[in-house]
Amino acid sequence: MLISRQNNYLLMTMRKNIYGKIALMLIISVLMVSNLTILECLSGKINYYAEIFKYPLPSIPEPVLDGSEFYVKVKMPSSTIWINAIVYNEIQVVNASLIEASYNNKTGIWYLKFDLPSGLREGAYNLNITYKPSENESTKILNQPRCLWILPQWPEKLVILACGDVKPEGIPYWKEMVYEANLINPDLIIFLGDLVNVPNVASEWIKFLEPFKLILDPIYVTAGNHEYSGLGVANIYKRIMGPVNYTVTIGKFLLICLDTDRDGWIRMERLKWAENILKRNIDKTKIMFFHFPLFNVKLKEKGTAYFKISSIEDFNNLVKQNAISETWEPYLDEAKELFRLIIEYDVRLILSEHIHTDFNVIVENINTGKKHYFISPAALAYDIPDHDIRGFKLITIYANGTIIESTLYYPGTGMFNYPNSIPIDSGTTTYYRPVLPYKIGFLEYYYAPANDGKHYAVSLKINNELKVSFNNPRIIFKLPADIPIERYEWKPFKPEYEVITVNGIHYVILRNINIPSQSQLTFTVYAVEDKDKPKVNLVDVPSLVDKGSWIQFKVEAIDNGWGIRDIEVKYTVNDKEWKNPDLMDFIEAENGKVIYKVWIKAPNIDTKLKIKAKAVDFSDKTSDEVTKEIIVGKPPKAKYNLKITSSPIEGISFKVNGTKFETPTTITLEEGTYVIEFEGKVKVNDEEYEFIKWSDGTTNPKKIIKLNKNVELTVYYEQISKPQQPTLPPEEVKPQVPWTIIVGIVIAIAIVIIVIYKIKGK
């Protein structure tokens, strides 16, 4: 019986209240009892790394100097005959000679010592041990993956990637963490517990181990409370991962893993064991890690957690300030003893998890000036606090004990300004609901078309959206070795690299590379020209979405030449302004195909949204553009043209649904019913005209039409004739007197007047 999705939801919901916590414990107990035989039934699917091998393990690799000796502990019969060992990874392989083999009759464990040849690069290696079960039997091989950490010399500093708390619901974040870590290339990873939810459920281990097997760096694991089926009972964890308490020496550094059991505190006998280890390593820089934190996460609410002490007795003041975690409060003697060990033996870095959120505490000893850093990274779990993120820490610590404080928090935050882990996702709002648009992974990279040693051209794209720079990332190109490496060319420039040629493949390992914060980095190494043109496609684009909703779809591009470099997606709601999507989240790249998830916020209006996409490959070839349309809200009505002309005159005013226009005109209108009104009589240029008819023969100047296609109409008018003036009869023509006669008469009259005037004067 496996845990159903409903049960998972119930478990997470119950964590919200105290009664839920009680019920949660009861449910888990029932599930554990009901699943006792499940793991055995499915045991063939699980790697029990620690069942035969006791050390080293994939969860506790042994640091070994190149060319020195290493030790192995295995539980095998006393009749076993040991022959030799092979140390290898994908790039290098050497034979290690057996120096010594001794058997403990009480424990049934063999102690083996091997001589490691020199010449191996730094990194994690697998181990095969050849043996014979007895003198008369054939040889067999014991295999243990990623259990040796080969170093050219002991490090002066360590870059530690700290993360934890996965459980089945957090597998997507665990996969992303492994993917990013394999590029970041930390010195080591410390995983802080809660690998599974219920330890007796086989499927949960299978889900966790799938990404675990892909890790390329040394990783050290501690058990969380979810690895226990009862108090002090972590049998399945011990068979798969190994011991719950252990120490590892890395030159000047000492790692101490302690166990907080199922109920969240460290037993006194384990603290005494730890003190014996600390006494023997006074000169080491000490790093301690366990699952349950010592300090109370509620200190986050105070805005700071910086404590100055002058003696161990100041621990009592911390108790009075409610600074100690709830799981430790009933066991203050053990809590104080742990605190004493940390202060007296100068444990500089203390890592823990469990609380599913990032949390920093600094304790400064004012007598010595030394600081002790209690650090919890953000979890990789599904069930995180409201308005929080999933993430990890990338901590730098030097062999003299100095910790670079700026590596304890994400740039732009602060030591006590949360969330302050390096984010691995966009985070949550409330009740685990994601922030939208949602994104997993801000450090994206891929090789194209494939980095499998079969392609004569391989490209790499890294997109770092984080505010963190990464030095010396793991970048390895795999190229066919039938062409000399000197014949391969580089774009945009030739980097510094080393080449190891194995099994027909050039492994080209880039050196001294830096990935700046919020930047992109690309390389192409090639021995053939690019002839392929990229192709792009929009996938799962919805045809209809609600107003104001998030539109989600995928864009895929493929190129089997040099590979896809960029995919550009734009959208518009007005066919004029093209905008970038709200988010493009890289999904995967495989066999020349690159896939992104696209998020676009739909506008709050009824409209159409048009999307276009194109792809560009690493040789700058561009794909054909593809487009799609999305209806937002109610589907918009179709629009048609209404063209109206008039004859024999133009400039006639008319109305369409009350809006005035003038002929000739073309109006674009939505599909629907419209009323067109012309006047029966109009006057144009002082001439009067009378409506006669429409071009369809109707004679009413008011017309109702259903516009469901483009329509052309003409209105016909006729000039109104002016009334004629009445014709008058011709007047009688009178005879005209010649002007010469008139002049003569006037002159004669004038002479008569003059004569009369003279006579009177006499």
Side-chain angles (χ1 to χ4, degrees):
M1 181 184 72
L2 300 180
I3 298 179
S4 67
R5 290 185 180 179
Q6 290 83 359
N7 281 338
N8 281 335
Y9 176 78
L10 178 62
L11 296 180
M12 289 182 286
T13 303
M14 285 181 174
R15 293 191 181 108
K16 290 293 182 179
N17 57 75
I18 184 65
Y19 302 106
K21 290 181 180 178
I22 297 172
L24 174 62
M25 294 179 66
L26 292 173
I27 288 175
I28 289 178
S29 299
V30 171
L31 288 169
M32 286 179 176
V33 172
S34 63
N35 281 284
L36 283 177
T37 60
I38 292 298
L39 197 63
E40 297 301 326
C41 295
L42 300 177
S43 61
K45 297 181 180 180
I46 296 176
N47 297 87
Y48 292 93
Y49 297 113
E51 200 154 48
I52 295 176
F53 267 94
K54 300 303 177 182
Y55 182 81
L57 301 167
S59 54
I60 314 174
E62 180 181 1
V64 184
L65 285 180
D66 182 36
S68 66
E69 300 166 348
F70 65 91
Y71 299 85
V72 176
K73 293 193 294 184
V74 290
K75 189 176 182 64
M76 293 283 282
S78 59
S79 60
T80 306
I81 299 172
W82 302 101
I83 301 173
N84 63 7
I86 297 175
V87 177
Y88 67 99
N89 60 17
E90 185 180 8
I91 298 177
Q92 291 182 284
V93 56
V94 296
N95 289 312
S97 302
L98 179 66
I99 299 174
E100 183 181 323
S102 61
Y103 182 75
N104 187 314
N105 288 309
K106 291 183 179 180
T107 62
I109 291 178
W110 281 94
Y111 294 83
L112 309 176
K113 182 179 179 181
F114 292 92
D115 182 34
L116 180 69
S118 60
L120 293 178
R121 298 184 71 258
E122 180 177 348
Y125 286 78
N126 310 308
L127 176 64
N128 284 353
I129 301 179
T130 305
Y131 71 98
K132 294 171 67 175
S134 65
E135 184 65 40
N136 298 322
E137 295 184 66
S138 59
T139 58
K140 296 184 178 181
I141 293 176
L142 281 178
N143 170 257
Q144 189 71 295
R146 205 186 59 241
C147 63
L148 295 176
W149 178 12
I150 311 299
L151 294 153
Q153 63 271 327
W154 295 124
E156 288 299 317
K157 75 170 182 177
L158 291 176
V159 176
I160 301 171
L161 192 156
C163 62
D165 263 298
V166 173
K167 302 189 286 295
E169 304 87 358
I171 291 299
Y173 315 111
W174 175 223
K175 288 181 177 179
E176 178 65 25
M177 181 74 270
V178 171
Y179 163 80
E180 293 188 21
N182 284 345
L183 175 68
I184 294 171
N185 194 23
D187 292 310
L188 70 153
I189 300 170
I190 294 180
F191 189 92
L192 296 165
D194 278 0
L195 295 68
V196 296
N197 198 19
V198 180
N200 297 349
V201 178
S203 61
E204 296 193 9
W205 284 104
I206 293 168
K207 289 177 182 178
F208 176 83
L209 291 174
E210 181 184 350
F212 179 80
K213 295 173 185 177
L214 301 177
I215 296 171
L216 300 176
D217 298 294
I219 180 170
Y220 296 89
V221 181
T222 189
N225 55 302
H226 282 272
E227 278 70 74
Y228 283 83
S229 56
L231 286 177
V233 182
N235 296 333
I236 296 169
Y237 175 88
K238 291 177 181 178
R239 290 172 62 194
I240 298 172
M241 289 291 159
V244 294
N245 298 278
Y246 61 86
T247 66
V248 176
T249 301
I250 312 165
K252 299 177 182 178
F253 295 91
L254 176 69
L255 303 183
I256 304 177
C257 173
L258 290 171
D259 168 36
T260 51
D261 214 303
R262 186 178 179 181
D263 51 354
W265 57 287
I266 302 172
R267 275 54 176 172
M268 191 63 76
E269 63 270 18
R270 293 170 185 168
L271 293 172
K272 290 179 179 179
W273 168 83
E275 184 167 21
N276 288 331
I277 299 295
L278 291 168
K279 285 179 179 178
R280 298 198 299 267
N281 292 275
I282 295 295
D283 60 336
K284 303 291 186 186
T285 292
K286 291 163 279 290
I287 300 164
M288 185 179 286
F289 55 100
F290 42 82
H291 185 63
F292 281 83
L294 176 63
F295 286 96
N296 192 338
V297 70
K298 292 181 180 178
L299 290 172
K300 289 178 70 171
E301 299 171 4
K302 296 183 178 181
T304 185
Y306 194 117
F307 300 101
K308 293 185 178 183
I309 64 166
S310 58
S311 73
I312 302 303
E313 297 308 313
D314 287 333
F315 178 82
N316 299 327
N317 294 328
L318 297 177
V319 174
K320 292 177 183 178
Q321 297 176 56
N322 295 319
I324 303 305
S325 172
E326 293 176 355
T327 64
W328 284 90
E329 275 187 337
Y331 311 99
L332 291 179
D333 289 343
E334 285 81 0
K336 186 174 182 179
E337 180 66 4
L338 173 63
F339 189 76
R340 180 185 71 82
L341 296 180
I342 290 169
I343 302 302
E344 285 190 5
Y345 292 97
D346 191 20
V347 179
R348 291 298 179 90
L349 180 61
I350 305 94
L351 298 171
S352 57
E353 187 49 76
H354 182 70
I355 51 179
H356 291 202
T357 186
D358 38 20
F359 178 39
N360 294 347
V361 177
I362 300 175
V363 175
E364 181 182 354
N365 187 339
I366 60 175
N367 294 325
T368 63
K370 294 177 180 178
K371 295 179 181 179
H372 308 272
Y373 299 88
F374 297 76
I375 306 298
S376 295
L380 301 175
Y382 170 77
D383 48 334
I384 63 174
D386 294 345
H387 309 292
D388 213 329
I389 62 167
R390 287 103 184 169
F392 61 97
K393 301 279 190 181
L394 198 62
I395 303 168
T396 300
I397 180 170
Y398 284 85
N400 63 3
T402 300
I403 293 176
I404 305 302
E405 288 194 354
S406 61
T407 65
L408 300 177
Y409 55 87
Y410 187 60
T413 62
M415 184 68 74
F416 307 110
N417 183 13
Y418 304 101
N420 63 10
S421 290
I422 299 174
I424 212 166
D425 81 328
S426 304
T428 60
T429 55
T430 57
Y431 298 103
Y432 319 138
R433 288 192 292 262
V435 172
L436 299 181
Y438 183 70
K439 181 179 177 67
I440 296 180
F442 297 96
L443 179 61
E444 303 167 344
Y445 67 97
Y446 60 85
Y447 293 89
N451 195 30
D452 55 8
K454 299 177 182 179
H455 291 75
Y456 294 96
V458 180
S459 300
L460 168 68
K461 179 177 181 178
I462 300 173
N463 183 29
N464 179 18
E465 298 179 30
L466 296 168
K467 298 176 183 178
V468 180
S469 298
F470 299 100
N471 292 317
N472 296 313
R474 179 183 285 105
I475 300 176
I476 303 175
F477 288 92
K478 304 173 188 178
L479 304 168
D482 56 347
I483 293 180
I485 192 63
E486 295 78 15
R487 286 178 52 189
Y488 284 90
E489 299 183 56
W490 291 84
K491 284 186 66 175
F493 63 89
K494 186 176 181 179
E496 183 181 344
Y497 62 83
E498 64 174 300
V499 179
I500 297 176
T501 303
V502 181
N503 298 325
I505 297 176
H506 293 310
Y507 290 87
V508 184
I509 305 159
L510 271 56
R511 297 189 301 198
N512 298 323
I513 296 293
N514 174 262
I515 306 173
S517 64
Q518 298 179 317
S519 70
Q520 288 190 355
L521 182 67
T522 62
F523 283 106
T524 299
V525 54
Y526 62 97
V528 293
E529 294 299 324
D530 184 16
K531 297 180 180 179
D532 273 34
K533 181 180 179 180
K535 298 178 182 178
V536 69
N537 190 27
L538 293 166
V539 180
D540 299 330
V541 179
S543 58
L544 177 66
V545 298
D546 293 332
K547 292 184 290 185
S549 65
W550 281 105
I551 303 171
Q552 302 174 51
F553 58 91
K554 293 178 182 178
V555 57
E556 299 178 351
I558 188 167
D559 183 276
N560 288 313
W562 288 10
I564 297 294
R565 186 186 69 207
D566 296 303
I567 300 177
E568 181 185 274
V569 177
K570 299 276 189 179
Y571 75 96
T572 183
V573 292
N574 57 17
D575 289 321
K576 294 180 181 179
E577 182 183 7
W578 288 90
K579 298 180 180 180
N580 292 321
D582 294 86
L583 177 67
M584 285 186 64
D585 187 13
F586 172 70
I587 302 300
E588 64 177 351
E590 188 175 5
N591 297 324
K593 180 185 287 187
V594 178
I595 303 174
Y596 281 84
K597 184 175 183 178
V598 182
W599 294 71
I600 296 173
K601 185 72 169 179
N604 283 308
I605 57 173
D606 295 322
T607 186
K608 276 187 179 180
L609 186 145
K610 184 182 292 184
I611 303 165
K612 65 179 181 180
K614 65 179 180 180
V616 181
D617 68 14
F618 280 92
S619 66
D620 296 322
K621 292 184 177 65
T622 303
S623 70
D624 295 331
E625 188 174 271
V626 296
T627 62
K628 285 199 175 182
E629 286 190 348
I630 299 173
I631 296 172
V632 179
K634 293 181 180 179
K637 292 183 178 180
K639 292 185 177 182
Y640 300 101
N641 291 331
L642 174 61
K643 182 178 181 180
I644 297 180
T645 58
S646 58
S647 178
I649 51 174
E650 295 179 344
I652 300 177
S653 295
F654 66 98
K655 294 180 181 179
V656 176
N657 283 7
T659 302
K660 287 186 176 181
F661 297 93
E662 192 174 274
T663 63
T665 189
T666 299
I667 315 164
T668 301
L669 300 169
E670 290 183 350
E671 180 179 358
T673 300
Y674 295 90
V675 178
I676 308 171
E677 297 177 88
F678 277 85
E679 296 291 337
K681 292 182 180 180
V682 297
K683 191 173 185 179
V684 178
N685 296 329
D686 294 328
E687 300 288 342
E688 287 191 319
Y689 294 84
E690 184 176 22
F691 177 85
I692 301 298
K693 64 177 180 178
W694 292 90
S695 53
D696 61 3
T698 57
T699 57
N700 190 338
K702 182 177 181 180
K703 187 175 188 65
I704 299 175
I705 66 167
K706 287 187 176 181
L707 189 65
N708 54 16
K709 62 180 180 179
N710 293 330
V711 174
E712 293 186 13
L713 292 171
T714 301
V715 291
Y716 292 95
Y717 277 81
E718 189 175 86
Q719 186 176 7
I720 300 174
S721 300
K722 292 183 179 181
Q724 294 184 354
Q725 296 293 330
T727 303
L728 297 176
E731 294 182 1
E732 183 178 349
V733 179
K734 296 181 179 181
Q736 299 291 326
V737 179
W739 67 274
T740 53
I741 296 175
I742 294 172
V743 172
I745 293 172
V746 171
I747 293 172
I749 292 172
I751 292 171
V752 171
I753 292 171
I754 293 170
V755 171
I756 294 172
Y757 178 76
K758 286 184 177 183
I759 293 174
K760 287 182 177 183
K762 291 181 177 182

